[in-house]
Amino acid sequence: MKRILASTFLIGVFFLPLLLSAQNAPVINATITGKVIDARTEKSLIGATVVIKGTTNGGATNQNGQFTLLTGQRLPFVVTVSYLGYQTQDVVLSSDNVEIKLEEGANQLADVVITSRRRQESAQDVPIPITVVSGVRAEDAGAFNVNRLKELVPSVQLYSSNARNTTLNIRGLGSSFGLTNDGIDPGVGFYVDGVYYARPAATSLDFIDIDQVEVLRGPQGTLFGKNTTAGAFNITTRAPSFQPGASFEVSYGNLNYIQAKASLTGPISKKLAVRASFSGTQRDGTIYNITTLKPTNTLNNLGYRAQLLYTPSDKVKITLAGDNSRQRPDGYATVVAGVVTTKRAAYRQFNNIIADLGYKLPSTNPFDRVTDTDTPWRSNNDFGGASVNVDAKIGSGTLTATTAYRYWVWDPSNDRDFTGLPVLTKSQGNSRHAQWTQEIRYAGQFSSKLSGVFGVFFIDQDLKSDPVQTEESGSAQWRFSQSSTSALWKTPGLFDGFGTKTTSRLKTIGAAVFGQVDWAITDKWHLLPGLRFNYDKKDVDYKRETYGGLQTTDPALIALKNAIYTNQAFAFGVEDNNFSGQLTLAYRSSKRFNAYATYANSYKPVGVNLGGLPTANGAVLIDLAKVKPEYVTHYELGVKTKPTPSSTFNVTVYNTEIKDYQTQVQTAEVGVNRGYLANAEKVRVQGVEVDGNIRLNNCFSLNGAVSYTDGKYVSFKNAPVPLEETGGESAFKDISGGVLPGISKWSGSLGGEVSGNGKLLNQDGRFFLAVDGYYRSSFSSSASPSAFLNIDGYTLLNARVGFRASNGISILLWSRNLTNKNYFEQLLPAAGNAGQYAAVLGDPRTYGTTLRYTF
């Protein structure tokens, strides 16, 4: 603890002069309102960006084209106003209630304003590789959660066999691929309105009233409270407004798809405004279960969000927010995708096992979308919380304090053998998670040449079984677990109802001091050093007890039962701290060219295994309980250009090396729930990313991105064998030089929209046709490279056509996976590694219509 205090003191001494230099004399307060309209038609422009020039203060116009700026600056001052398809203007404001007229500019791109560096600035000016997806674009594309959003951002990978077992990666890094183990921290930060969401289940939920999603690539630990070794999702929702407004949306499609959204905002008093939002989605299943005689893998999501904005003065904004999301699907069911011949004896091969049991798979073609799983699928997922955010203008910067509480409740039921046989009749990893976070940071312009952000962060997490986690075998378990020709395996009732009840608790405390400054050496050269100190402490208490099955005192029968499940208990704590940081040199020769080079040294905290540990000769391998922290070394070169006022073109080249890479591995032991964690000695990911936009005229725009990613194990000498090598001479294998799972070498997206003025039902507006394409090449779906668990590359095509009326009404017809492409999202070996593996299937073609009204 003394080291923490000493380190905090040193960093405080470093940043204190910056804070003191920001305490400028107060200036006259001003609240400025106005309206942005089309100079020719005098119609309101919705979503135009208005930023006070030379500051971090700004916003967007609402549904009536109106904006409000809360500022402490003296009038008059200059604002920069931009809007897609219009000429950007600098306008001098000297009074309240102004009207700004923009002229059409056929070759103009709207400036994309971001807040990732805790200030408002153009995405093209920031020396960070970043992709920005507006809420409107996401809604139009049907990207109502992160899994669908990845089709717009090719550097993002998301894999989900259920809400808990969700992996969110950027450039193939962030979290272990496969089944989730709760004992490690994600390497991709997920933030909503400045609040860190610790559990990966959050990424499976529907977006609620999203304004913008910023995807930052590469380590960002000097900008965000929670360390982010691979990147960050910085999501902002639509804020309460003092101008009354509302939006309503309803969609209907095939598979009985229904989605409804609503949002209301407006003032309660002169200093108090509110926004309330709702989202609900339901859809029939995409897989038919011949056991239950009904579709499975349904959608059944509800979400609510409420915000209260209080502005006691022009310098202070206080936002109180609360939200709750719940999922009640019948799913996530998988289908058997194939069978591998392992190196076990013939009687231990899957096809021989099911033949002996008189069982036949319902289909050998996974794209028949048929299953016969006999364990009920349940994926009850509840996620929510509350936060208080205070923004106070101090000097030429803003002091922000964010206090938040979040909870997660997970109540599942899975069929881990993927068949209609009673092998694993229960798999219920019930969990309850609670977290408290506190972040305090100051961001601003410290002097004419120095700006930046620095802050402190604290997180307290409590994750426990709720109340117990259950695994239970059925009457067919004996045949799948049979490891000898002894007749004792056939003992009636030996494994029927035999299982485990597990209680576990993980308490985590994390703290950090972080900061990054931007020093303008000259008008063209900027140096951006950043520093971070991490402290992490984890305490785990794990206890697994067996129950059921045949009650016997026969040592031989007991030994057979112990071959499947054994009692296991351990308790220990780990504690660690680390300094990390980065250095960026940026060169901006003109408004059209911005180049940068970054070196970063990052760190992902120590982990613990919470899913049970493997055994050797009956002894628990307790040394595997602790998972060493990752150490990341990252280099990056980037160029952001604006060749013309109507286009952008950006290129990034990077190389990331990780020592002691935390990876998820499978084991043949049924009793090791969801696999276990281990460290690979070293991995490397390197690649190139290219993205750009062009607007040819007011009628046609095009955007695209291409990502080349090469990820390999530089050294992993003690990796588990792949599925097909189960039962060989060794249970481990040197896979150095093998590819990392979940990474396509090539991925890309390409989208465009054609629009034109017109009338529909006597309403003025614009007709539009938009198409989005997404491609990824083949990738491995196994922690250890396998000849069988590889997923072929695929291309998806999404399209929409519709009409946007100037009075706020929009109607569109849409289709996702227009060509009805059959593809796998993930391949999963069954528990026990008998040879069968299952698939998470991508959605088939869906289509429907959406009606939206905004005012």
Side-chain angles (χ1 to χ4, degrees):
M1 201 65 189
K2 291 181 179 178
R3 283 189 294 175
I4 300 173
L5 294 174
S7 302
T8 304
F9 173 76
L10 290 174
I11 295 177
V13 169
F14 175 74
F15 284 118
L16 183 59
L18 305 180
L19 179 58
L20 293 176
S21 70
Q23 308 304 305
N24 301 329
V27 295
I28 297 174
N29 294 334
T31 301
I32 298 298
T33 61
K35 189 173 185 179
V36 180
I37 64 174
D38 183 300
R40 182 177 61 84
T41 65
E42 297 192 349
K43 291 179 179 178
S44 300
L45 297 180
I46 303 169
T49 301
V50 183
V51 179
I52 301 176
K53 194 168 185 177
T55 76
T56 62
N57 192 2
T61 56
N62 65 11
Q63 293 82 0
N64 301 312
Q66 297 172 322
F67 65 88
T68 300
L69 299 175
L70 303 176
T71 178
Q73 289 198 234
R74 184 190 301 271
L75 288 166
F77 51 76
V78 178
V79 295
T80 300
V81 187
S82 63
Y83 188 66
L84 180 65
Y86 288 77
Q87 298 178 20
T88 300
Q89 290 187 24
D90 286 343
V91 181
V92 178
L93 300 187
S94 56
S95 62
D96 190 18
N97 198 26
V98 296
E99 187 175 80
I100 300 173
K101 297 181 179 181
L102 292 186
E103 298 282 350
E104 284 194 9
N107 297 323
Q108 292 288 326
L109 277 178
D111 199 15
V112 179
V113 177
I114 65 170
T115 60
S116 295
R117 295 205 301 172
R118 312 310 185 182
R119 67 197 82 171
Q120 293 196 355
E121 52 193 343
S122 170
Q124 287 296 105
D125 294 341
V126 177
I128 298 173
I130 184 170
T131 301
V132 182
V133 180
S134 69
V136 172
R137 184 187 174 198
E139 289 166 351
D140 283 352
F144 58 81
N145 57 28
V146 178
N147 194 32
R148 292 190 169 194
L149 188 71
K150 72 183 181 184
E151 296 171 12
L152 303 177
V153 188
S155 293
V156 171
Q157 298 90 27
L158 186 141
Y159 307 97
S160 182
S161 58
N162 62 39
R164 177 194 198 134
N165 294 326
T166 298
T167 300
L168 176 62
N169 285 348
I170 295 177
R171 296 172 171 169
L173 299 174
S175 297
S176 57
F177 178 88
L179 301 172
T180 299
N181 192 305
D182 295 318
I184 62 168
D185 293 11
V188 175
F190 193 83
Y191 291 84
V192 178
D193 291 340
V195 176
Y196 173 69
Y197 287 20
R199 302 316 309 162
T203 61
S204 70
L205 302 172
D206 289 4
F207 293 142
I208 303 176
D209 215 9
I210 293 296
D211 183 50
Q212 185 166 278
V213 180
E214 302 166 15
V215 182
L216 290 79
R217 307 189 291 276
Q220 308 297 331
T222 60
L223 286 177
F224 290 84
K226 191 68 175 70
N227 204 16
T228 56
T229 58
F233 272 67
N234 185 39
I235 298 173
T236 54
T237 67
R238 297 182 176 104
S241 173
F242 285 94
Q243 297 290 337
S247 63
F248 303 95
E249 178 182 311
V250 62
S251 300
Y252 179 76
N254 65 324
L255 298 174
N256 289 318
Y257 173 82
I258 299 176
Q259 185 176 74
K261 298 179 182 180
S263 181
L264 297 169
T265 188
I268 297 176
S269 66
K270 289 184 178 181
K271 296 186 176 182
L272 205 61
V274 66
R275 178 180 286 273
S277 309
F278 160 82
S279 175
T281 307
Q282 71 174 42
R283 189 197 66 188
D284 290 347
T286 57
I287 296 174
Y288 189 77
N289 191 325
I290 63 174
T291 298
T292 62
L293 301 180
K294 65 178 184 179
T296 187
N297 283 16
T298 64
L299 295 179
N300 187 357
N301 306 335
L302 284 176
Y304 309 87
R305 184 175 183 85
Q307 300 178 79
L308 195 64
L309 172 64
Y310 176 51
T311 56
S313 72
D314 293 335
K315 289 191 173 184
V316 178
K317 293 192 296 183
I318 302 173
T319 303
L320 174 65
D323 68 279
N324 174 260
S325 294
R326 54 175 286 172
Q327 295 180 323
R328 295 293 185 269
D330 184 323
Y332 302 52
T334 54
V335 296
V336 175
V339 177
V340 173
T341 300
T342 70
K343 292 189 176 182
R344 287 172 167 168
Y347 73 90
R348 301 192 67 187
Q349 303 298 327
F350 177 77
N351 287 332
N352 291 330
I353 292 171
I354 63 173
D356 289 349
L357 295 172
Y359 172 78
K360 185 179 179 180
L361 289 170
S363 173
T364 56
N365 179 6
F367 297 111
D368 286 342
R369 297 183 178 270
V370 175
T371 185
D372 63 346
T373 51
D374 54 338
T375 297
W377 288 93
R378 185 176 68 249
S379 302
N380 294 350
N381 189 32
D382 291 83
F383 207 87
S387 65
V388 178
N389 186 85
V390 180
D391 289 315
K393 186 171 178 59
I394 300 177
S396 57
T398 300
L399 182 69
T400 300
T402 305
T403 306
Y405 165 77
R406 299 211 60 80
Y407 66 88
W408 171 58
V409 180
W410 175 239
D411 177 22
S413 174
N414 306 296
D415 195 324
R416 292 181 64 214
D417 58 71
F418 310 139
T419 71
L421 288 167
V423 185
L424 288 167
T425 56
K426 286 186 181 180
S427 180
Q428 300 171 352
N430 304 57
S431 296
R432 180 180 292 269
H433 175 264
Q435 71 172 66
W436 285 95
T437 56
Q438 176 67 63
E439 183 170 343
I440 301 174
R441 65 178 183 272
Y442 182 83
Q445 191 76 34
F446 309 131
S447 68
S448 61
K449 290 185 174 292
L450 200 65
S451 63
V453 57
F454 58 95
V456 295
F457 176 78
F458 176 80
I459 182 169
D460 185 341
Q461 300 183 68
D462 188 1
L463 176 66
K464 56 188 177 182
S465 51
D466 182 32
V468 297
Q469 298 179 346
T470 304
E471 294 283 328
E472 186 175 298
S473 298
S475 58
Q477 179 64 268
W478 73 271
R479 188 61 185 86
F480 279 83
S481 297
Q482 184 181 3
S483 58
S484 71
T485 56
S486 170
L488 291 177
W489 287 97
K490 300 180 182 181
T491 303
L494 181 61
F495 302 110
D496 199 358
F498 178 51
T500 63
K501 292 187 181 296
T502 301
T503 57
S504 65
R505 188 169 191 177
L506 173 64
K507 291 185 67 67
T508 302
I509 291 177
V513 182
F514 62 95
Q516 180 177 298
V517 296
D518 185 337
W519 174 32
I521 304 172
T522 68
D523 290 342
K524 295 182 179 180
W525 290 94
H526 284 239
L527 188 66
L528 295 89
L531 189 64
R532 178 183 184 88
F533 175 77
N534 258 15
Y535 168 77
D536 297 280
K537 186 176 187 298
K538 296 183 178 182
D539 293 291
V540 60
D541 191 347
Y542 181 89
K543 184 178 182 180
R544 187 179 72 198
E545 296 180 306
T546 59
Y547 71 91
L550 180 66
Q551 300 304 301
T552 178
T553 58
D554 185 336
L557 294 179
I558 293 174
L560 294 184
K561 292 178 68 175
N562 287 341
I564 300 178
Y565 293 124
T566 57
N567 296 332
Q568 190 175 117
F570 54 86
F572 72 100
V574 291
E575 186 176 5
D576 208 350
N577 60 68
N578 171 266
F579 273 103
S580 58
Q582 71 172 58
L583 183 66
T584 297
L585 181 65
Y587 174 68
R588 185 175 175 84
S589 62
S590 68
K591 292 183 178 180
R592 293 187 175 183
F593 183 88
N594 183 18
Y596 58 91
T598 296
Y599 165 77
N601 182 279
S602 193
Y603 166 86
K604 190 160 80 166
V606 63
V608 294
N609 266 302
L610 269 183
L613 295 173
T615 59
N617 299 319
V620 178
L621 300 177
I622 193 67
D623 290 344
L624 295 178
K626 178 182 176 180
V627 186
K628 290 183 287 187
E630 291 183 355
Y631 295 91
V632 181
T633 303
H634 176 79
Y635 300 91
E636 189 166 84
L637 294 173
V639 176
K640 294 185 174 184
T641 68
K642 198 169 184 179
T644 68
S646 65
S647 63
T648 63
F649 183 77
N650 306 322
V651 180
T652 307
V653 181
Y654 65 90
N655 183 90
T656 305
E657 293 185 350
I658 302 179
K659 177 186 175 184
D660 293 328
Y661 175 72
Q662 297 171 347
T663 182
Q664 177 80 40
V665 296
Q666 292 284 344
T667 174
E669 295 185 49
V670 177
V672 181
N673 188 19
R674 294 183 296 277
Y676 67 100
L677 293 165
N679 292 103
E681 294 87 9
K682 188 175 182 180
V683 304
R684 183 189 68 239
V685 177
Q686 56 189 6
V688 181
E689 298 163 334
V690 179
D691 65 81
N693 297 269
I694 187 168
R695 186 173 182 84
L696 300 180
N697 50 50
N698 268 0
C699 298
F700 181 69
S701 61
L702 192 67
N703 61 82
V706 176
S707 177
Y708 171 79
T709 312
D710 179 29
K712 292 183 178 180
Y713 293 104
V714 176
S715 177
F716 194 3
K717 298 178 180 178
N718 204 33
V721 297
L723 177 60
E724 64 268 28
E725 296 182 30
T726 301
E729 295 181 357
S730 174
F732 299 97
K733 182 179 181 180
D734 185 348
I735 60 171
S736 301
V739 298
L740 287 175
I743 299 178
S744 294
K745 275 203 171 183
W746 291 99
S747 59
S749 63
L750 182 64
E753 180 175 296
V754 178
S755 64
N757 293 326
K759 283 191 175 184
L760 181 66
L761 300 178
N762 208 31
Q763 295 292 325
D764 292 329
R766 294 182 71 85
F767 290 96
F768 66 92
L769 170 65
V771 178
D772 294 309
Y774 170 70
Y775 166 77
R776 66 177 305 181
S777 61
S778 62
F779 62 95
S780 168
S781 190
S782 173
S784 295
S786 166
F788 297 90
L789 300 180
N790 294 314
I791 295 178
D792 293 337
Y794 57 87
T795 300
L796 301 178
L797 193 64
N798 306 321
R800 55 196 178 275
V801 60
F803 180 77
R804 302 185 186 103
S806 56
N807 66 355
I809 294 178
S810 298
I811 184 170
L812 58 150
L813 303 174
W814 49 264
S815 177
R816 296 184 57 80
N817 191 6
L818 184 63
T819 62
N820 202 26
K821 174 67 176 179
N822 287 324
Y823 67 99
F824 298 135
E825 291 198 340
Q826 195 174 350
L827 296 175
L828 304 166
N833 291 14
Q836 82 275 32
Y837 59 93
V840 178
L841 298 179
D843 282 348
R845 177 171 52 226
T846 56
Y847 50 87
T849 183
T850 296
L851 179 64
R852 185 180 302 141
Y853 179 47
T854 303
F855 66 89

